[in-house]
Amino acid sequence: MPAKVSKINTSRFIDRWAYVPIAIAPFLLFLSIFGSALGKTIIKEKVKVSAEKPASVGTIELKPRDLGALRIDAKAFFPDNHWVVYEIQLVDAEGEIVASAIDEAWRESGRWREGGESGSWSESELAAGLDLRSKQAEKLTVVIEVLESGTSSGQPANLMVNFDLKVKKGAIKRSHLLSGFFFTGILGILSLIATGISGQQAIFKKINDSDPRERATVGGENNLVKVSINSVLDETTPRQAKIDLYINNVYGERIYQESRTVPVRISKDEDGEITKAQAKSESLFVLKKRDSYGFAVKVEPDNPVEWTSLTVRDGSKTLSNIEVKEISY
């Protein structure tokens, strides 16, 4: 019985999962740019804290499903040439410390003279923060405590330290989102590339001639069969090459043939000499009956051909709608 060949346009072989990382990447970029606007400041206070006398700033309610984290930012203010070690605490209703962060703030200044010139300098590190995500709903009190203080010369001090304290719900760490954007973007690009070589390689035949042929069991109603032909030619190549493809069934009967004239891609060196010439062709099939099929190729003209490869992939995926040849017999 002669084979029935029909051309169809179909989207059923699209690998939609390949687009997921690419779709997520711009969302992460959006959050990294505008995520700060999604947060809500719930406490903004100026607090004076003396040594070893903790100050309670306020109480907050946490829910495990809140977007982002709870962010506490503190900035200390005290005289020049001093340092302070302080602790930010989150305390539950029983007085237990749920989370804490200890930081050292310092500020130094002075004057310099060199080569008849002079000036002043000032350096400081005053800010610290604490991030928290809760696994359960709870009320927590924000407490700040000065643990130690002293002078830059090494003398102890008993400072009254002013703090600007800000507590924000829904805080999103921008650096993490940017890292996620770049890694997700790279993963998306790799996913798109991988889709182009998806499927099981049923045949790879390379010969130093123009007519490779091989047989394999491929096909089925829901399998896309991709046939790729690659031929490398020498410097005598013409601008175009003719590539013939033949498919035979299990009995050796020809069920399909096609002939394509394709451009030869030519690479030249600085002197204009041809360094490489290549002709490629790709065809997509739905062989409705899974069976043993023979694939044969012929590239013309034959003389310039250095080698030709035949690759057949079974169960391939695509990134868009495609035209396939559906063959049944």
Side-chain angles (χ1 to χ4, degrees):
M1 185 175 82
K4 180 182 177 182
V5 180
S6 57
K7 292 182 180 180
I8 61 170
N9 282 294
T10 180
S11 61
R12 64 192 176 103
F13 298 109
I14 295 177
D15 184 5
R16 290 176 172 81
W17 287 106
Y19 289 103
V20 172
I22 290 293
I24 292 174
F27 176 69
L28 294 176
L29 181 61
F30 174 84
L31 283 180
S32 70
I33 297 172
F34 301 105
S36 59
L38 301 177
K40 180 182 179 182
T41 300
I42 55 177
I43 295 176
K44 190 174 184 181
E45 297 283 348
K46 294 183 181 293
V47 185
K48 289 186 177 181
V49 185
S50 59
E52 299 180 355
K53 291 183 180 180
S56 176
V57 180
T59 300
I60 56 178
E61 292 187 16
L62 288 184
K63 297 178 182 178
R65 293 183 181 178
D66 285 342
L67 176 66
L70 180 75
R71 174 73 183 178
I72 303 173
D73 288 304
K75 188 173 184 180
F77 296 93
F78 48 85
D80 280 355
N81 299 313
H82 284 77
W83 56 265
V84 171
V85 176
Y86 64 95
E87 182 177 18
I88 305 168
Q89 302 171 354
L90 284 169
V91 180
D92 63 16
E94 286 74 37
E96 297 292 329
I97 297 176
V98 174
S100 67
I102 296 175
D103 196 65
E104 179 179 359
W106 55 270
R107 61 188 305 165
E108 294 182 359
S109 64
R111 295 191 62 82
W112 58 269
R113 290 182 177 83
E114 184 177 351
E117 296 183 354
S118 64
S120 61
W121 60 270
S122 178
E123 294 181 349
S124 63
E125 182 66 52
L126 304 173
L130 173 64
D131 293 321
L132 178 71
R133 281 190 64 86
S134 179
K135 295 182 179 179
Q136 61 185 21
E138 55 186 335
K139 289 186 178 181
L140 300 175
T141 300
V142 181
V143 176
I144 190 162
E145 180 179 1
V146 174
L147 304 177
E148 294 181 74
S149 59
T151 67
S152 300
S153 60
Q155 300 299 314
N158 189 11
L159 293 177
M160 175 71 74
V161 184
N162 294 314
F163 288 93
D164 279 352
L165 199 75
K166 184 165 68 172
V167 181
K168 188 175 185 179
K169 272 187 176 180
I172 298 174
K173 192 133 185 171
R174 189 167 180 265
S175 60
H176 291 170
L177 289 171
L178 284 174
S179 298
F181 164 72
F182 286 114
F183 283 116
T184 307
I186 292 170
L187 179 61
I189 293 170
L190 293 176
S191 296
L192 297 180
I193 294 172
T195 301
I197 56 172
S198 60
Q200 182 179 359
Q201 183 174 283
I203 293 174
F204 178 75
K205 185 70 176 287
K206 179 180 176 182
I207 63 170
N208 296 324
D209 209 335
S210 61
D211 55 351
R213 60 187 64 220
E214 191 61 86
R215 178 172 287 275
T217 299
V218 295
E221 184 102 22
N222 298 312
N223 272 8
L224 179 66
V225 177
K226 181 188 291 186
V227 180
S228 303
I229 301 160
N230 183 20
S231 186
V232 171
L233 304 92
D234 64 22
E235 66 277 1
T236 64
T237 181
R239 296 293 178 176
Q240 293 181 324
K242 180 185 174 188
I243 298 179
D244 297 328
L245 171 64
Y246 308 96
I247 301 177
N248 298 332
N249 64 14
V250 67
Y251 306 110
E253 300 166 341
R254 184 156 298 166
I255 60 172
Y256 180 81
Q257 70 178 57
E258 68 178 25
S259 181
R260 291 185 178 181
T261 299
V262 300
V264 177
R265 297 179 182 178
I266 295 174
S267 301
K268 296 182 179 181
D269 61 18
E270 295 179 354
D271 299 324
E273 298 293 329
I274 294 176
T275 57
K276 186 178 181 180
Q278 197 168 29
K280 290 185 175 183
S281 176
E282 183 178 280
S283 300
L284 301 171
F285 299 95
V286 174
L287 302 169
K288 298 193 73 172
K289 180 181 179 182
R290 186 167 184 81
D291 210 340
S292 175
Y293 294 92
F295 297 83
V297 174
K298 177 66 178 176
V299 180
E300 294 180 338
D302 175 80
N303 287 339
V305 175
E306 294 186 350
W307 58 261
T308 304
S309 67
L310 165 66
T311 305
V312 178
R313 290 188 172 274
D314 188 37
S316 291
K317 296 293 182 181
T318 66
L319 295 172
S320 61
N321 282 23
I322 52 170
E323 181 183 274
V324 303
K325 288 91 173 179
E326 190 175 76
I327 303 174
S328 57
Y329 68 95

